[in-house]
């Protein structure tokens, strides 16, 4: 039993680490692609420098994304051999297709970085496009496995045997499109807001020449626009995700909302802590009828409560907080982008006031926190199942001991890599200030990276 | 061919490609570390120029192996996942350090030396650990206690068989990478680096051949079943040794295109790749039908037939899509004089 907890903590830590770099690896290529396109359209050299610097940062981040992803992939087999046995028989297609996506991303990332000065602008755009495509496709495919865990399809387990296998039915399981869409949209949003944070940070620093300020202003505007668009799409799609829970994993939605009694006109509880003893959410703000409406678009939708399920099937109740944090951040960032838009359009001011810049600085870290909360909610909220109503987590876990030592080892590696990656990024961008790169004559034609 | 055989052939193909690419990758990292202090011959620069664009692609292959393994042979996933937990985790940790610091070393020029040391040293240990999966599949270190498979680490670490595999992995990493870098140096027109790498290949080549002798010897005592079956494939083994000799000859011939140097490294590289191909074919064929001796065979571990068909279709489509990308990549980095031989 103890080993199950350590295995879960170890795998969760690995994923929580990987997802930071993976999300940026999905989000930033889109921004680079947009900067490249803007450069070709406007011939404004600032955008070429932007693409170049973002690419440099991305290359460093991928230096951690790829090995941590390799850890994630192999650890899945090492820690959850029982789970992978089912996945291998039923749901291996997405893993397999993901390999092709990895290849596309890796090949074109090298081409874009190391051959930039030898290929035509068109081929350069094609290369970033493939990098972005490969990253998004790999996110979609791996998320499909996660979707399958929540809404399994395409097989049955009969007397411990896997029967009636249909790999394509498993691939197109009921929550595939919505879940994959949510992950990709939130990754684009997060990539954009992280870059917005950096630009806002730079604008807050005193004493800079006009050229550098204009550069950061352009970067901020571009990333806030992209972030705003995708936070709207994320929220709309998140609503659909919640409706899927209502349909396919009702006890997860009940735990997310701290709802104990099945009812129509169910209230939405915001904030507070779920208390199993009093069967209520303490200190929450309740919006009457809202949950029913969110779950089924009608106030009389009947939402199932936790009491309808055996207690050993209940997800941990703290997922309510994680869910609230994710949704709260989504709404906050939506307002923030709207504020930026309004400020620019209606006040007709070229620059943002400092207080607004400070809140933009917070946007990137908040988005990353949103990603973390969303994932931990989704995976922890599935407990005790590793495959919903099919396989329990404790049936899937490895039988080998020694997990505590390994846990300590992996955590130290993640700490080491986190420190190193921050130092390397700081070092590089201190050594290569924007001012130097902007000063270079734009007549070199192509940009050396 | 049965479905099982097709699947194990694909898996074997991935392992072979990865083995070749990874030895070059890890070896190049090691040599770039060795020559970092006295880089008159540009040996480090040349190693890095090869390494920078390729490590990411090489890394995808290791992931492809793991995925092919559990998707084609999910029945092996349970046993292998369980016994490989500890060695697998150590490999993962080293691999993470190695890849990350490789990237960091290129970006943080001031700390390049320290970072290169870290990635170079971890990189040369990884092949030894990776290859140790093979002796583990020979079965002698796996015990089944109360239905739970466990790896007897003590027996493993005192086994000459395991060490001969590890020694072979390190030496052939050094050998193959020197040979490839010799070829790459000549392509870059760098005579001095070429002579350096050619010399390294001369030293490490015979040593790695000697190690294969050691592997066969220890196999005879520790994995007799495999030894006996490998001997049935003796023509392949003889062919393999012959290709090794051919590589030696290719390295001694006068060069046709470069009058002032000796050796035709491109030929030697091809000969050595064929050598490894023949030897690993014999090894793989002898290993069948066992994936893990004697508990798991390719039949007992095989996936669901419908899943296999879907996977196979995806392989064909994936290959068609990726092939042009690989060709383009090859042309830009292995063939383009502007990259290989910058002014
Ligand atoms: C910046 C990140 C971010 C933001 C702002 C949101 N989400 Fe989200 N959400 C994720 C990032 C995320 C995620 C990390 O990507 C998850 C984890 C698993 C998944 O499929 O996506 C997720 C999962 C997830 C799930 C669980 C799916 C499952 O368990 O299978 C639901 C119901 C929602 N989200 C709903 C929402 C709603 C209603 C939002 C309103 C604004 C929202 N999300 C904003
Ligand atoms: C990348 C972001 C992710 C994070 C932060 C994350 C987090 C977690 C956490 C915290 C756990 C432990 C749950 C608990 O014991 O309470 C877990 C378990 C697990 N997750 Fe995720 N996860 C992520 C993505 C994924 C994806 C994409 C998959 C599908 C391939 C996945 C599959 C699993 C499995 C198989 C387990 C172990 C079994 C279980 O506890 O149910 N995770 N994850
Ligand atoms: C939804 C969460 C995830 C997202 C968005 C994501 C995305 C990414 C991205 C963008 C990369 C870099 C790819 C490259 O440059 O080649 C990556 C690497 C990787 N990820 Fe994740 N990933 C997620 C979860 C997972 C999980 C659960 C696994 C394990 C099954 C995994 C396995 C890998 C592997 C093996 C790599 C390395 C690929 C390589 O060698 O190039 N990822 N991931």
């Amino acid at each position: 039993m103890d080993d199950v907890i350590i295995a879960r903590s170890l795998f969760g830590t690995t994923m929580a680490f990987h997802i930071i770099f993976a999300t940026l690896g999905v989000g930033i290529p889109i921004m680079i692609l947009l900067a490249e396109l803007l450069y070709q359209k406007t011939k404004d050299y600032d955008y070429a420098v932007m693409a170049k610097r973002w690419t440099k940062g991305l290359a460093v981040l991928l230096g951690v994304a790829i090995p941590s992803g390799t850890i994630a992939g192999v650890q899945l087999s090492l820690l959850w051999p029982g789970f992978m046995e089912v996945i291998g028989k039923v749901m291996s297609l997405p893993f397999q297709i993901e390999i092709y996506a990895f290849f596309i991303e890796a090949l074109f990332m090298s081409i874009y970085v190391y051959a930039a000065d030898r290929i035509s602008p068109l081929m350069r755009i094609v290369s970033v496009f493939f990098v972005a495509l490969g990253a998004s496709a790999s996110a979609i495919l791996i998320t499909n496995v996660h979707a399958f865990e929540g809404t399994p399809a395409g097989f049955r387990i009969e007397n411990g045997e896997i029967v009636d296998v249909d790999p394509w039915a498993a691939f197109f399981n009921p929550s595939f499109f919505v879940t994959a869409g949510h992950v990709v949209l939130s990754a684009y949003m997060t990539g954009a807001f992280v870059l917005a944070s950096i630009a806002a940070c730079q604008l807050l620093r005193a004493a800079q020449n006009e050229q550098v300020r204009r550069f950061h202003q352009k970067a901020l505007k571009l990333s806030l626009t992209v972030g705003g668009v995708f936070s709207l799409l994320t929220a709309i799609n998140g609503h659909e995700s919640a409706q899927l829970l209502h349909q396919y994993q009702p006890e997860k939605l009940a735990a997310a909302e701290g709802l104990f009694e099945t009812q129509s006109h169910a209230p939405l509880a915001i904030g507070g802590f779920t208390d199993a003893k009093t069967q209520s959410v303490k200190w929450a703000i309740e919006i009457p009828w809202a949950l029913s409406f969110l779950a089924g678009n009608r106030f009389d939708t009947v939402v199932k409560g936790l009491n309808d399920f055996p207690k050993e099937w209940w997800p941990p109740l703290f997922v309510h907080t994680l869910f609230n944090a994710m949704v709260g951040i989504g709404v906050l960032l939506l307002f923030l982008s709207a504020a930026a838009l309004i400020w620019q359009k209606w006040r007709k001011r070229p620059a943002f006031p400092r207080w607004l810049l400070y809140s933009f600085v917070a946007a990137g870290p908040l988005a990353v926190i949103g990603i973390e909360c969303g994932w931990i909610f989704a995976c922890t909220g599935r407990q005790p199942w590793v495959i919903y109503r099919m396989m329990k987590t404790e049936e899937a876990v490895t039988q080998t001991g020694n997990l505590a030592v390994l846990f300590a080892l992996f955590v130290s590696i993640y700490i080491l890599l986190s420190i190193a990656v921050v130092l390397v990024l700081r070092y590089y961008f201190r050594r290569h200030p924007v001012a130097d790169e902007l000063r270079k004559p734009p007549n070199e034609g192509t940009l050396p990276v | 061919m049965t479905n099982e055989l097709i699947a194990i052939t694909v898996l074997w193909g991935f392992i072979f490609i990865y083995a070749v690419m990874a030895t070059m990758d890890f070896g190049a990292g090691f040599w770039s570390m060795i020559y970092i202090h006295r880089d008159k011959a540009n040996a480090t620069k040349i190693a890095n120029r090869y390494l920078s664009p390729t490590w990411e692609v090489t890394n995808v292959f290791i992931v492809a192996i793991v995925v092919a393994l559990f998707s084609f042979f999910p029945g092996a996933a349970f046993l292998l996942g369980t016994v490989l937990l500890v060695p697998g985790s150590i490999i993962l940790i080293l691999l993470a350090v190695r890849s990350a610091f490789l990237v960091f070393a290129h970006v943080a020029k001031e700390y390049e030396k320290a970072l290169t040391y870290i990635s170079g040293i971890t990189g040369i240990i990884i092949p030894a650990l990776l290859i140790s999966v093979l002796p583990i599949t020979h079965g002698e270190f796996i015990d089944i206690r109360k239905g739970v498979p466990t790896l007897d680490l003590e027996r493993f670490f005192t086994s000459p068989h395991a060490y001969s595999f590890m020694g072979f992995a390190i030496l052939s990493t050094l050998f193959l990478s020197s040979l490839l870098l010799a070829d790459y140096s000549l392509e870059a027109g760098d005579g001095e680096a070429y002579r350096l790498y050619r010399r390294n290949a001369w030293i490490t080549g015979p040593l790695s051949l000697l190690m294969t002798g050691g592997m066969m010897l220890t196999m005879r005592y520790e994995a007799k079943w495999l030894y006996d079956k490998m001997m049935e494939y003796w023509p392949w083994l003889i062919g393999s040794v012959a290709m090794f000799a051919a590589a030696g000859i290719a390295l001694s011939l006068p060069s046709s295109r470069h009058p002032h140097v000796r050796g035709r490294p491109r030929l030697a590289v091809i000969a050595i790749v064929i050598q490894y191909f023949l030897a690993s074919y014999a090894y793989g064929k002898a290993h069948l039908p066992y994936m893990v001796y004697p508990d798991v065979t390719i039949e007992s571990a095989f996936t669901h037939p419908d899943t296999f068909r879907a996977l196979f279709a995806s392989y064909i489509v994936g290959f068609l899509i990726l092939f042009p990308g690989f060709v383009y990549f090859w042309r830009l980095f292995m063939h383009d004089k502007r990259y290989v031989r910058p002014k």
Side-chain angles (χ1 to χ4, degrees):
Chain A
M1 184 56 215
D2 248 2
D3 270 345
V4 181
I5 298 207
I6 303 179
R8 284 158 63 175
S9 319
L10 172 51
F11 191 70
T13 311
T14 298
M15 293 316 303
F17 181 71
H18 176 59
I19 196 60
I20 298 173
F21 300 93
T23 302
L24 296 176
V26 175
I28 294 178
I30 299 293
M31 298 299 293
I32 299 173
L33 178 61
L34 287 173
E36 277 273 7
L37 286 171
L38 281 172
Y39 172 52
Q40 295 307 331
K41 185 160 173 281
T42 61
K43 298 291 169 213
D44 180 347
Y45 190 61
D46 281 7
Y47 287 112
V49 174
M50 221 177 275
K52 182 185 159 188
R53 292 173 73 82
W54 288 347
T55 305
K56 199 73 195 182
L58 176 67
V60 174
L61 293 173
L62 284 184
V64 181
I66 292 171
S68 64
T70 310
I71 293 182
V74 182
Q75 227 169 44
L76 214 45
S77 307
L78 295 177
L79 291 177
W80 312 105
F83 170 66
M84 288 316 271
E85 208 171 336
V86 178
I87 291 293
K89 287 213 173 90
V90 186
M91 194 55 184
S92 39
L93 272 174
F95 277 108
Q96 189 56 59
I97 302 172
E98 189 188 21
I99 297 292
Y100 313 138
F102 283 149
F103 271 128
I104 288 178
E105 166 163 13
L107 289 172
F108 284 95
M109 185 70 195
S110 289
I111 289 171
Y112 183 62
V113 172
Y114 293 103
D117 45 350
R118 288 179 288 137
I119 57 180
S120 65
L122 178 67
M123 267 327 280
R124 226 173 45 232
I125 288 180
V126 170
S127 304
V128 217
F129 171 76
F130 276 118
V131 172
L133 183 76
S136 300
S138 68
I140 289 172
L141 289 157
I142 191 68
T143 304
N144 191 12
V145 180
H146 166 79
F148 170 85
E149 293 181 63
T151 55
F155 77 111
R156 284 183 307 118
I157 296 186
E158 214 165 70
N159 306 326
E161 291 288 315
I162 299 166
V163 292
D164 284 350
V165 173
D166 180 350
W168 291 107
F171 190 95
F172 293 104
N173 65 78
S175 61
F176 170 35
F177 288 108
V178 172
T179 307
H182 195 55
V183 169
V184 172
L185 293 172
S186 62
Y188 294 162
M189 156 188 174
T190 305
F193 278 125
V194 166
L195 295 176
S197 289
I198 295 170
C201 237
Q202 296 298 327
L203 285 171
L204 281 167
R205 285 169 49 179
Q208 277 171 337
N209 71 40
E210 199 40 41
Q211 201 185 11
V212 173
R213 286 195 76 77
R214 269 205 309 273
F215 173 84
H216 290 306
Q217 222 120 38
K218 283 175 202 162
L220 182 62
K221 207 169 148 193
L222 174 60
S223 37
L224 280 178
T225 312
V226 176
V229 169
F230 283 111
S231 51
L232 181 62
L233 295 175
T234 304
I236 296 172
N237 171 289
H239 174 59
E240 280 179 67
S241 303
Q243 297 197 330
L244 270 181
L245 289 189
H246 168 67
Q247 203 177 343
Y248 290 99
Q249 291 172 274
E251 65 267 46
K252 196 180 202 175
L253 186 65
E257 290 301 340
L259 188 74
F260 288 87
E261 287 303 329
T262 301
Q263 54 190 274
S264 65
H265 303 88
L268 186 71
I270 297 177
F273 298 93
T274 316
D275 184 12
K277 269 203 211 88
T278 59
Q279 300 229 328
S280 64
V281 186
K282 281 190 178 156
W283 302 303
I285 304 164
E286 286 204 355
I287 306 178
W289 300 9
L291 179 56
S292 280
F293 188 76
L294 286 180
N297 296 333
R298 299 166 57 98
F299 293 116
D300 59 0
T301 308
V302 176
V303 183
K304 284 216 166 139
L306 285 167
N307 290 340
D308 274 18
F309 302 94
K311 214 164 181 168
E312 66 272 15
W313 286 7
W314 287 13
L317 296 180
F318 65 81
V319 296
H320 172 63
T321 308
L322 295 169
F323 186 64
N324 275 184
M326 169 180 68
V327 178
I329 287 170
V331 174
L332 192 71
L333 291 180
L334 198 54
F335 278 128
L336 198 59
S337 342
L341 190 76
I342 291 169
W343 190 273
Q344 292 215 314
K345 280 272 174 300
W346 276 279
R347 302 282 304 253
K348 298 248 180 335
R349 292 271 187 85
F352 295 110
R354 289 185 79 80
W355 62 268
L356 207 49
L357 284 178
Y358 275 113
S359 50
F360 294 152
V361 173
L366 277 177
V368 173
I369 295 172
I371 294 280
E372 296 280 356
C373 290
W375 274 109
I376 300 173
F377 160 58
C379 275
T380 305
R382 188 183 56 235
Q383 300 308 316
W385 306 101
V386 61
I387 303 176
Y388 183 64
R389 300 274 171 93
M390 293 278 198
M391 182 184 253
K392 289 237 167 94
T393 305
E394 65 213 34
E395 297 168 48
V397 75
T398 178
Q399 305 290 320
T400 316
N402 299 331
L403 286 183
V405 181
L406 291 179
F407 186 31
L409 269 176
F410 276 105
V411 170
S412 7
I413 285 298
Y414 300 148
I415 294 173
L416 173 75
L417 290 182
S418 310
I419 296 172
V421 79
V422 172
L423 290 180
V424 167
L425 284 173
R426 276 171 57 122
Y427 169 88
Y428 180 82
F429 287 107
R430 291 252 162 95
R431 281 301 145 100
H432 302 82
V434 201
D436 289 1
E437 290 183 36
L438 290 175
R439 231 175 278 127
K440 271 188 209 138
N443 60 8
E444 280 169 22
T446 53
L447 60 162
V449 176
Chain B
M1 250 210 268
T2 60
N3 286 349
E4 287 85 347
L5 266 182
I6 295 175
I8 195 76
T9 310
V10 171
L11 179 60
W12 177 87
F14 273 138
I15 295 178
F16 182 74
I17 296 173
Y18 179 70
V20 173
M21 286 185 73
T23 45
M24 293 174 177
D25 183 66
F26 292 128
F30 183 76
W31 294 124
S32 91
M33 171 187 92
I34 292 291
Y35 296 117
I36 197 163
H37 280 298
R38 43 195 177 92
D39 200 18
K40 283 198 295 291
N42 278 329
T44 291
K45 270 206 204 79
I46 284 178
N48 278 337
R49 207 173 302 135
Y50 169 78
L51 200 51
S52 306
T54 52
W55 77 268
E56 217 178 316
V57 180
T58 308
N59 191 67
V60 179
F61 273 100
I62 197 169
V63 181
I65 292 174
V66 175
V67 168
L69 181 66
F70 72 68
S71 49
F72 283 145
F73 299 105
F78 195 88
L79 179 68
L80 279 178
T82 309
V83 297
L84 292 180
L85 179 65
V86 174
S89 298
I90 297 172
I91 292 173
L92 286 175
I93 286 174
L94 291 175
L95 208 57
V97 171
R98 194 265 177 176
S99 310
F101 282 71
L102 187 71
V103 172
F104 296 163
H106 292 322
V107 177
K109 287 285 173 231
E110 203 162 292
Y111 304 101
E112 191 174 1
K113 284 196 177 136
L115 295 170
T116 302
Y117 267 98
I118 297 177
S119 70
I121 291 173
T122 45
I124 200 71
I125 305 173
I126 295 171
L129 291 173
L130 281 173
I131 208 172
S132 64
V133 174
L134 293 181
I136 290 175
T137 64
H138 301 169
E140 49 173 323
F141 311 115
I142 298 175
D143 298 324
I144 311 268
R145 292 199 195 113
K146 290 191 219 130
V148 179
T150 46
L151 180 66
D152 189 334
L153 283 176
E154 196 186 312
R155 209 159 359 120
F156 178 79
F157 280 114
T158 50
S159 149
H161 193 43
Y163 284 107
S164 64
F165 269 77
M166 293 190 210
F168 169 73
I170 293 177
L171 282 167
S172 65
T173 299
L174 297 178
F175 173 46
L176 229 73
S177 59
S178 333
L179 207 55
L180 182 88
L181 289 173
D183 182 34
Y184 208 70
S185 314
L186 204 58
E187 193 81 359
D190 192 325
E192 210 174 329
Y194 170 68
R195 269 184 284 273
L196 200 60
Y197 283 123
R198 178 173 174 273
R199 192 203 62 196
N200 292 342
W202 266 126
I203 300 171
T204 51
L207 285 177
S208 71
L209 189 70
L210 211 64
M211 264 338 267
T212 54
M215 277 157 73
M216 291 309 286
L217 201 70
T218 51
M219 190 186 292
R220 196 168 166 183
Y221 293 102
E222 295 192 34
K224 185 87 166 63
W225 65 276
L226 188 57
Y227 177 82
D228 290 343
K229 283 180 70 189
M230 264 187 97
M231 283 301 139
E232 288 170 24
Y233 293 93
W234 61 267
W236 296 83
L237 299 178
I238 302 281
S240 159
V241 176
M243 289 321 285
F244 181 79
I249 295 169
L251 272 191
S252 322
L253 289 177
S255 168
S256 52
R257 275 186 299 154
H258 307 269
H260 48 279
V261 294
R262 238 176 199 299
R264 299 188 182 177
R266 179 64 51 88
L267 272 185
V269 169
I270 294 170
I272 292 299
V273 171
I274 298 175
Q275 181 210 345
Y276 278 62
F277 182 88
L278 296 174
S280 51
Y281 180 83
Y283 173 84
K285 202 79 174 122
H287 208 292
L288 289 181
Y290 299 107
M291 297 199 68
V292 184
Y293 185 82
D295 306 299
V296 185
T297 65
I298 54 171
E299 283 86 16
S300 75
F302 196 58
T303 191
H304 194 278
D306 287 345
T307 301
F308 173 76
R309 264 190 290 279
L311 286 172
F312 198 73
S314 95
Y315 266 93
I316 292 170
V317 175
F319 182 78
L320 292 179
I321 293 173
L322 286 174
F323 192 70
F326 274 104
V327 172
Y328 188 47
F329 185 81
W330 169 268
R331 288 228 323 257
L332 280 174
F333 294 112
M334 302 294 147
H335 229 68
D336 190 338
K337 289 277 182 295
R338 282 174 300 169
Y339 183 76
V340 178
R341 188 193 300 205
K343 290 140 278 172

